[in-house]
Amino acid sequence: MAEKITQQAVLAALSKVQEPELHKDLVTLNMIRDIEIRGSTISFTIVLTTPACPLKGSIENAARAAVLEIPGAKTVQIKMDASVPNDGRSRGLLNLPVRNAIAIASGKGGVGKSTVSANLAVALAQTGARVGLLDADIYGPNIPTMLGVHDIPGTNGNKLIPAEAYSIKIMSMGFLVKPGQPFIWRGPMLNSAIRQFLADVEWGELDYMIIDLPPGTGDASLSLAQTLPLSGVVIVTLPQTISLEDASRGLAMFQTLEVPILGVIENMTGEFFGAGGGEDLARIAKVPFLGSIPMELNVRVGGDTGTPVVVSAPNSEAAKALKAIAGQVAARVSVEALTQKNAPTIDII
Ligand SMILES: Nc1ncnc2c1ncn2[C@@H]1O[C@H](COP(=O)(O)OP(=O)(O)OP(=O)(O)O)[C@@H](O)[C@H]1O
Ligand SMILES: [Mg+2]
């Protein structure tokens, strides 16, 4: 009769499987749960650091192969789960239960920050993550239109209840000010408006808070970066030179403020604006390149009609690119959370 398979043997096998982004093995990372052994059948759960993990499939395959190496092992059943670690910076986000706050920025207006913010938020939620979207563009809020919501449901005590669409929670100045009404903000008001948006809104527990920044490296972005303990910032750029110059200015500003740069996204890639500039910028700035999004009509139409392209045309090239980028962003956030100085160990609840 074959020797009995032990828990130790399973752990030993899984300790040879590396998490490719975090460069540690699954056992050291405390990702293995609920090992059960019934004869030659072994089952366990792998708890990843994000449900949006782009390497989910390959980690599962590697774990299966490793466990099948154990003498006597015939069947391996793996349950994939995720618990997003707290990045340790956003933990103090005005005492909100937000695990990671991610700002979407650019040096220049009109490059697709809001489009990217809306689609990334929805794409992350589609993987099962708990996601909030804060429209920090208090001068020209576009998020309500892009997600087809125009009001918040109301208040709970003295807290605003965020709007909800496509399983994400949304807050925007656009909900509080009537269309056409001018917004007049000065520095200190701007700060307190942003703070209020975070502190006085009933967000609930969030794995990711996506923050759509106003254009440019002006006051608003600056004060936000200083007020909020951001996990990191994603820089959106068009492929052509002029936009890249602006984007690299934006990037430099966040670097000066010591906000981690999660990476660069190139948007509107194609015949019109060209291709490849975003990748060049990332290489020169020595930050990750997260992917490029083609210029497509359905992206614009999705934004105008309140149905983001990842929902309205999920199989389009643009939607596929946005979903892959959401995975990349989540992976970068996990890496930042687990590799920064004084990083907490994964606190899986
Ligand atoms: N990949 C794309 N393909 C086609 N149209 C796009 C794409 N990305 C964005 N757009 C369109 O370009 C316009 C500008 O995008 P968006 O409003 O997201 O930019 P922004 O950077 O947030 O602008 P602002 O700086 O004014 O806040 C919108 O009409 C949007 O639908
Ligand atoms: Mg915008």
Side-chain angles (χ1 to χ4, degrees):
M1 212 187 104
E3 234 178 275
K4 203 165 172 271
I5 299 167
T6 61
Q7 283 233 1
Q8 280 68 25
V10 176
L11 285 171
L14 290 170
S15 68
K16 295 196 188 90
V17 180
Q18 294 277 309
E19 210 286 0
E21 303 265 11
L22 301 171
H23 306 295
K24 285 187 184 148
D25 70 86
L26 302 185
V27 176
T28 303
L29 286 167
N30 201 16
M31 287 179 168
I32 306 299
R33 293 283 183 286
D34 308 328
I35 299 177
E36 274 181 34
I37 301 154
R38 273 168 278 110
S40 60
T41 301
I42 300 155
S43 62
F44 56 91
T45 301
I46 301 178
V47 186
L48 298 172
T49 55
T50 172
C53 180
L55 302 162
K56 211 173 188 167
S58 62
I59 293 172
E60 182 176 349
N61 289 341
R64 183 181 312 280
V67 171
L68 281 171
E69 297 271 304
I70 301 171
K74 288 215 178 79
T75 313
V76 180
Q77 295 165 342
I78 305 176
K79 187 175 157 221
M80 298 303 282
D81 201 349
S83 176
V84 177
N86 202 310
D87 73 348
R89 291 171 70 101
S90 311
R91 195 190 291 274
L93 194 67
L94 307 172
N95 285 326
L96 290 173
V98 172
R99 296 185 170 211
N100 301 280
I102 304 160
I104 311 294
S106 70
K108 195 176 144 98
V111 301
K113 289 177 299 298
S114 302
T115 305
V116 167
S117 301
N119 280 286
L120 287 191
V122 174
L124 286 169
Q126 284 173 337
T127 69
R130 298 165 299 177
V131 184
L133 174 58
L134 172 66
D135 184 357
D137 190 347
I138 58 176
Y139 300 101
N142 294 134
I143 290 296
T145 302
M146 288 187 177
L147 291 162
V149 281
H150 300 284
D151 266 315
I152 54 169
T155 54
N156 184 5
N158 49 15
K159 292 229 171 187
L160 299 169
I161 301 169
E164 248 183 275
Y166 311 105
S167 303
I168 61 173
K169 295 185 176 170
I170 308 152
M171 194 61 211
S172 168
M173 188 50 72
F175 297 144
L176 307 180
V177 185
K178 296 281 159 282
Q181 203 173 314
F183 307 126
I184 304 159
W185 298 102
R186 291 179 222 294
M189 271 168 78
L190 185 82
N191 256 326
S192 64
I194 302 279
R195 276 184 162 267
Q196 262 184 342
F197 264 10
L198 287 157
D200 298 345
V201 173
E202 204 168 77
W203 291 104
E205 282 224 13
L206 297 178
D207 294 319
Y208 302 105
M209 163 90 81
I210 303 289
I211 303 172
D212 176 22
L213 290 183
T217 45
D219 271 6
S221 306
L222 200 69
S223 66
L224 241 165
Q226 285 166 330
T227 323
L228 293 182
L230 296 169
S231 306
V233 62
V234 171
I235 307 288
V236 182
T237 182
L238 301 190
Q240 89 279 31
T241 316
I242 301 287
S243 173
L244 287 175
E245 286 171 4
D246 295 319
S248 75
R249 255 194 299 280
L251 204 145
M253 180 191 88
F254 287 106
Q255 275 171 335
T256 311
L257 295 172
E258 295 185 0
V259 177
I261 313 286
L262 298 170
V264 173
I265 298 174
E266 179 178 290
N267 187 28
M268 306 198 205
T269 306
E271 249 172 66
F272 197 77
F273 289 119
E279 207 165 350
D280 291 345
L281 173 65
R283 197 181 49 246
I284 293 162
K286 297 193 174 61
V287 299
F289 180 63
L290 301 168
S292 50
I293 304 157
M295 174 121 128
E296 273 181 21
L297 180 63
N298 53 22
V299 178
R300 208 245 325 131
V301 172
D304 284 348
T305 56
T307 314
V309 70
V310 293
V311 175
S312 65
N315 296 318
S316 63
E317 290 306 314
K320 283 193 270 185
L322 281 156
K323 285 189 268 188
I325 290 170
Q328 290 303 319
V329 171
R332 295 314 307 164
V333 168
S334 297
V335 171
E336 282 295 329
L338 298 180
T339 55
Q340 64 172 325
K341 263 190 242 147
N342 309 322
T345 46
I346 308 179
D347 57 341
I348 291 171
I349 13 168

